[in-house]
Amino acid sequence: MTILYALDLLGTFAFAVSGALAGVRKKLDLYGVTFLAIVTAVGGGTLRDTMLGRVPPFVFKDSNYLFLSIGAAMLVILFHSHVKRSYNLLVVMDALGLGLFNVMGINIALSSGVGYVGSMIFGVMTGTVGGMIRDVLINATPLVLTREVYASACIIGGALYCTLHHFGVDQSLNAAVSALLVFAVRMITLKLEFHLPRAGER
Amino acid sequence: MTILYALDLLGTFAFAVSGALAGVRKKLDLYGVTFLAIVTAVGGGTLRDTMLGRVPPFVFKDSNYLFLSIGAAMLVILFHSHVKRSYNLLVVMDALGLGLFNVMGINIALSSGVGYVGSMIFGVMTGTVGGMIRDVLINATPLVLTREVYASACIIGGALYCTLHHFGVDQSLNAAVSALLVFAVRMITLKLEFHLPRAGER
Amino acid sequence: MTILYALDLLGTFAFAVSGALAGVRKKLDLYGVTFLAIVTAVGGGTLRDTMLGRVPPFVFKDSNYLFLSIGAAMLVILFHSHVKRSYNLLVVMDALGLGLFNVMGINIALSSGVGYVGSMIFGVMTGTVGGMIRDVLINATPLVLTREVYASACIIGGALYCTLHHFGVDQSLNAAVSALLVFAVRMITLKLEFHLPRAGER
């Protein structure tokens, strides 16, 4: 589980950076930027835990997530022009984080007795709610609802995870493969600039 | 309880349609429209269950609510110009849903040991929070706070429900009568174009 | 505990007034203004209780908080031009409420078994989330993220509370001293018009 934990922290860091960058762009103050970093990174998992009755949520039990998010915010505050230049690295980390958060969310929901369909929602929630709170707080329509293939990647990866889980595939292997699928879908659609169609465009 | 369940699904459908329509109007993508439909339909009840410690919330236990919301979103995506033309039908279903959600919320809160005043808040929450999340996600000031006699209808119906409950009236009868009152208040104020006054207008 | 309870109600009143004033300014209707007053006053504590599994949250158990918030909303609706003129009184009450809510939140989290770092977050949450929901509902970027020394005052006061708690200082004394520190930091930074720097300003 140590590798998964390390990857989870990596995803946390990537999400925190994206939150902090949004805060800097919106001209928030130091607290605002840090707050946005934390909420973007841990918001999805915190809502998941609250809705599953796993209270207090993970972020109040393991301070590493908090300190890592604060660290990410500080890095962005000090070096945000440099951070923006490493855009490609950020996108890769973010896609990795998405896959890992999704698989973690599904796994925790399944082990709390939630069915496959419900668990897939918990996966999407863990992967995307942090970013939605970030966007709502800076008064933007959430990106995940308008353009990006983000939640859909979670659903595809989640369907794979649940299928493999159903057939009794080893959990670590399943997590690795499914998270990679989310990562791949996200990266490929980004590369091809593929977006889901809008309802009105036909 | 089967009739109540059917009516609850009807209300869910109506709320999901209103969420999906808002998503189409805001030019969200297919996922965004579907997400908005789901959140509008089940958001209030999910918050209620979470705050009552009924976890995981109902939507993760009975997938019908989820699939019905997705179905409503698909219908809106495919036929949204037609849907808009059936505006009157929509308004009736929405008012029906409001009454049912309100009564359900109060009933669940009472049976969780909450008092009358608190249960009426849970009724308003079940009936109106989904629509508020919908409006916040599309960056609009929630309709329920600005113009519509929506929450007030819940409060009036909720007061009746609690009074009848106090005097030991049969629960199904009580639910039917109180939900109808919410429905009637909503429809009459819509017809008369009655709005609550604004604080500054005197 | 009676003095603390009275001060908690005072803070509730101050926060409710700030919510109602925001609602009047945004031209919400009577329900909207009242709703905003309630949510601003009890939103932080309600989220705290939900995340700690203390369900249903305090506001559903003790109706005083609700009725006090409704009373504050009515006062603002009837006399809002006068209320604005007593700006200085409001600011003092608000700063007092901030300190008390912060200390209450930390205390409740600690007694629920959360560690010092997590409890300080619960303190900030209790003090600031109500105002953030208020701002999001009226489509404004939360004040606490952009300009005001608000959360930072909570963190400073929270650090003192946890330190004194660690050294076994009497709880009532600790609460009084730490809440006063929050109050002092808030008032002094307001007086000096001190704001946290923005990330881009260097």
Side-chain angles (χ1 to χ4, degrees), chain A residues 199 202, chain B residues 20 24 29-30 33-34 72-80:
Chain A
R202 265 169 322 129
Chain B
V24 169
D29 68 14
L30 298 186
V33 171
T34 309
M74 284 181 174
L75 282 178
V76 169
I77 288 166
L78 292 174
F79 307 112
H80 57 89

Side-chain angles (χ1 to χ4, degrees), chain A residues 50-53 114 117-118 121-122 124-125 132 136 139-142 144-147 151 155 196-200 202, chain B residues 24 26-33 35-36 46 50 55-57 59-60 63 66-67 77-78 80 136-139:
Chain A
T50 306
M51 285 196 175
L52 285 172
V114 179
V117 174
I121 311 180
F122 275 110
V124 175
M125 184 191 292
M132 291 182 65
V136 165
N139 304 116
T141 301
V144 61
L145 300 180
T146 44
R147 293 184 56 244
I155 293 169
L196 282 187
R198 289 180 178 169
R202 265 169 322 129
Chain B
V24 169
K26 187 75 179 180
K27 299 197 180 302
L28 303 186
D29 68 14
L30 298 186
Y31 173 76
V33 171
F35 180 88
L36 217 57
T46 302
T50 305
V55 291
V59 65
F60 299 104
S63 299
L66 185 73
F67 290 129
I77 288 166
L78 292 174
H80 57 89
V136 165
L137 285 177
I138 59 172
N139 305 116

Side-chain angles (χ1 to χ4, degrees), chain A residues 41-177:
Chain A
V42 307
T46 303
L47 182 63
R48 174 201 65 214
D49 282 0
T50 306
M51 285 196 175
L52 285 172
R54 295 161 48 94
V55 291
F58 76 103
V59 65
F60 300 104
K61 290 177 184 155
D62 179 350
S63 298
N64 286 344
Y65 294 94
L66 186 71
F67 290 128
L68 192 64
S69 303
I70 295 175
M74 285 181 173
L75 281 179
V76 169
I77 289 165
L78 291 174
F79 307 112
H80 57 90
S81 48
H82 302 269
V83 172
K84 273 184 237 166
R85 258 176 274 147
S86 20
Y87 178 74
N88 286 331
L89 179 62
L90 269 181
V91 165
V92 171
M93 284 168 66
D94 182 80
L96 215 56
L98 184 70
L100 290 161
F101 280 24
N102 180 41
V103 163
M104 291 241 155
I106 296 176
N107 195 31
I108 288 172
L110 284 174
S111 66
S112 299
V114 179
Y116 285 126
V117 174
S119 294
M120 282 173 63
I121 311 180
F122 275 110
V124 175
M125 184 191 292
T126 309
T128 66
V129 161
M132 291 182 65
I133 301 177
R134 174 199 63 208
D135 294 344
V136 165
L137 285 176
I138 58 172
N139 304 116
T141 301
L143 265 180
V144 61
L145 300 180
T146 44
R147 293 184 56 244
E148 298 302 331
V149 177
Y150 215 79
S152 321
C154 287
I155 293 169
I156 293 169
L160 178 65
Y161 188 89
C162 289
T163 309
L164 295 183
H165 183 276
H166 181 70
F167 287 111
V169 171
D170 172 71
Q171 185 185 310
S172 300
L173 178 66
N174 189 355
V177 172

